[in-house]
Amino acid sequence: MKKIYAIIGDPVAHSLSPVMHNAAFDKLGMDAVYLAFRVSKGELGDAIRGAKSLGIAGLNVTIPLKEKALFFVDAEKVAKKIGAINTIDFSSGTPIGYNTDGIGSQRVLKETVDEIKGKKVLIFGAGGAAKAISFYLDAEGARVTIANRTKKRAAQLASKLRNASAIGLDTELKKHIKDSDILINATSVGMHPHEDATLVNANLMHPDLVVFDIVYNPVETKLLREAKRAGVKKIVDGVKMLVYQGAASFRIWTKGEPPIKVMEKAVRGALSSSKSTD
Ligand code: NAP
């Protein structure tokens, strides 16, 4: 029987996960389909229980459900520490929750930087994505600074990490960027339709800074354009992280190896053909 996978979120129509996973299923000749369902926070418990009853094989969970979804699953220990899930596996009968966002960012950074240990990493944002990314960086021995619009949230996140500090998005930024090896934007600033927004401009960056924007729509954000202008040598967009987190979910559900290149091509193709998604 055809296996069904899906993403739940609100909104969810913009998600590229269906395009990405269906391309993988097609490539591997799997009798499976990946759908998107709009689910409000109030309906989340019913949706997860309903998915299990209907025999849905696996779910991805996106904004704004990642934290609340923890209450309806047995969370794997890293997901529990992060405090959010983006993947649910039903294969054991009990819904098990995982967080693959951090795994995705970790793989991107491993491909970009020789050694994470000891690196000074400045992360913009203290939301779900920032939590997952900072958890892995901290575990690998990076020196993390969380910079967030709401400084209290930055402080809360930093206090859960082993070697992290918190700042606001104000004058302190200049000094911190100068001292940093890696800058990661994990806020939604610069995302469609606010494509001309950036938290920092070229004048604050230096060429040896690695600049990674996890926003993937547009692929080249204003932050990345500014990084280019500053002569930054290592610039990374958000598509690879999206693909790697999806690949990690795929492995959890199918125990098989996903066709990563096919998934990336499908995502980049969808992004270049539809400038209107958000
Ligand atoms: P979230 O939990 O809603 O967090 C949003 C973060 O952005 C918060 O830290 C918020 O600051 C900050 N923010 C929002 N608007 C801002 C503004 N105008 N100025 C300054 N800071 C602002 O969202 P999330 O799940 O972490 O996702 C964040 C972004 O990452 C989204 O664009 C999402 O699409 C992207 N993402 C990409 C991937 C990938 O695989 N590439 C994976 C996950 C997420 P406050 O705390 O002050 O509100």
PDB file of all heavy atoms in Angstrom, residues 23 61 70 152 156-157 173 176 239:
ATOM      1  N   ALA A  23      10.289  14.278  -4.940  1.00  0.00           N
ATOM      2  CA  ALA A  23      11.370  14.064  -5.913  1.00  0.00           C
ATOM      3  C   ALA A  23      12.216  12.864  -5.487  1.00  0.00           C
ATOM      4  O   ALA A  23      12.630  12.044  -6.319  1.00  0.00           O
ATOM      5  CB  ALA A  23      12.244  15.320  -6.015  1.00  0.00           C
ATOM      6  N   VAL A  61       6.996  18.677  11.087  1.00  0.00           N
ATOM      7  CA  VAL A  61       6.237  19.677  11.829  1.00  0.00           C
ATOM      8  C   VAL A  61       6.939  21.016  11.623  1.00  0.00           C
ATOM      9  O   VAL A  61       8.159  21.112  11.780  1.00  0.00           O
ATOM     10  CB  VAL A  61       6.244  19.336  13.338  1.00  0.00           C
ATOM     11  CG1 VAL A  61       5.445  20.360  14.120  1.00  0.00           C
ATOM     12  CG2 VAL A  61       5.699  17.933  13.580  1.00  0.00           C
ATOM     13  N   LEU A  70       5.955  18.646  20.986  1.00  0.00           N
ATOM     14  CA  LEU A  70       6.676  17.819  21.986  1.00  0.00           C
ATOM     15  C   LEU A  70       5.713  17.130  22.951  1.00  0.00           C
ATOM     16  O   LEU A  70       5.992  16.034  23.435  1.00  0.00           O
ATOM     17  CB  LEU A  70       7.584  18.726  22.819  1.00  0.00           C
ATOM     18  CG  LEU A  70       9.038  18.871  22.459  1.00  0.00           C
ATOM     19  CD1 LEU A  70       9.712  19.814  23.435  1.00  0.00           C
ATOM     20  CD2 LEU A  70       9.763  17.530  22.468  1.00  0.00           C
ATOM     21  N   LYS A 152      15.907  39.116  26.255  1.00  0.00           N
ATOM     22  CA  LYS A 152      15.562  38.147  27.292  1.00  0.00           C
ATOM     23  C   LYS A 152      15.538  36.710  26.725  1.00  0.00           C
ATOM     24  O   LYS A 152      15.991  35.762  27.372  1.00  0.00           O
ATOM     25  CB  LYS A 152      14.175  38.521  27.845  1.00  0.00           C
ATOM     26  CG  LYS A 152      13.830  37.855  29.149  1.00  0.00           C
ATOM     27  CD  LYS A 152      12.531  38.427  29.704  1.00  0.00           C
ATOM     28  CE  LYS A 152      11.842  37.375  30.546  1.00  0.00           C
ATOM     29  NZ  LYS A 152      10.416  37.596  30.665  1.00  0.00           N
ATOM     30  N   GLN A 156      17.800  33.537  27.820  1.00  0.00           N
ATOM     31  CA  GLN A 156      17.214  32.243  28.202  1.00  0.00           C
ATOM     32  C   GLN A 156      17.875  31.099  27.431  1.00  0.00           C
ATOM     33  O   GLN A 156      18.224  30.068  27.990  1.00  0.00           O
ATOM     34  CB  GLN A 156      15.701  32.225  27.909  1.00  0.00           C
ATOM     35  CG  GLN A 156      14.898  32.900  28.999  1.00  0.00           C
ATOM     36  CD  GLN A 156      13.458  33.182  28.562  1.00  0.00           C
ATOM     37  OE1 GLN A 156      13.098  33.039  27.389  1.00  0.00           O
ATOM     38  NE2 GLN A 156      12.639  33.601  29.511  1.00  0.00           N
ATOM     39  N   LEU A 157      18.061  31.329  26.130  1.00  0.00           N
ATOM     40  CA  LEU A 157      18.686  30.274  25.319  1.00  0.00           C
ATOM     41  C   LEU A 157      20.144  30.071  25.745  1.00  0.00           C
ATOM     42  O   LEU A 157      20.588  28.935  25.952  1.00  0.00           O
ATOM     43  CB  LEU A 157      18.577  30.633  23.827  1.00  0.00           C
ATOM     44  CG  LEU A 157      19.315  29.735  22.847  1.00  0.00           C
ATOM     45  CD1 LEU A 157      18.967  28.262  23.060  1.00  0.00           C
ATOM     46  CD2 LEU A 157      18.982  30.123  21.398  1.00  0.00           C
ATOM     47  N   LEU A 173      26.822  44.776  18.603  1.00  0.00           N
ATOM     48  CA  LEU A 173      26.988  43.898  17.444  1.00  0.00           C
ATOM     49  C   LEU A 173      28.308  44.115  16.713  1.00  0.00           C
ATOM     50  O   LEU A 173      28.969  43.169  16.315  1.00  0.00           O
ATOM     51  CB  LEU A 173      25.863  44.157  16.445  1.00  0.00           C
ATOM     52  CG  LEU A 173      24.642  43.260  16.497  1.00  0.00           C
ATOM     53  CD1 LEU A 173      23.779  43.523  15.290  1.00  0.00           C
ATOM     54  CD2 LEU A 173      25.048  41.795  16.547  1.00  0.00           C
ATOM     55  N   HIS A 176      31.192  42.387  18.256  1.00  0.00           N
ATOM     56  CA  HIS A 176      31.045  40.935  18.204  1.00  0.00           C
ATOM     57  C   HIS A 176      31.290  40.383  16.811  1.00  0.00           C
ATOM     58  O   HIS A 176      31.897  39.331  16.656  1.00  0.00           O
ATOM     59  CB  HIS A 176      29.658  40.524  18.716  1.00  0.00           C
ATOM     60  CG  HIS A 176      29.623  40.385  20.196  1.00  0.00           C
ATOM     61  ND1 HIS A 176      29.336  41.426  21.043  1.00  0.00           N
ATOM     62  CD2 HIS A 176      29.905  39.326  20.986  1.00  0.00           C
ATOM     63  CE1 HIS A 176      29.424  41.015  22.283  1.00  0.00           C
ATOM     64  NE2 HIS A 176      29.763  39.749  22.289  1.00  0.00           N
ATOM     65  N   VAL A 239      19.489  26.682   1.498  1.00  0.00           N
ATOM     66  CA  VAL A 239      18.912  25.517   0.811  1.00  0.00           C
ATOM     67  C   VAL A 239      19.523  24.210   1.307  1.00  0.00           C
ATOM     68  O   VAL A 239      18.822  23.226   1.552  1.00  0.00           O
ATOM     69  CB  VAL A 239      19.073  25.661  -0.730  1.00  0.00           C
ATOM     70  CG1 VAL A 239      18.652  24.375  -1.424  1.00  0.00           C
ATOM     71  CG2 VAL A 239      18.253  26.833  -1.241  1.00  0.00           C
TER      72      VAL A 239
END
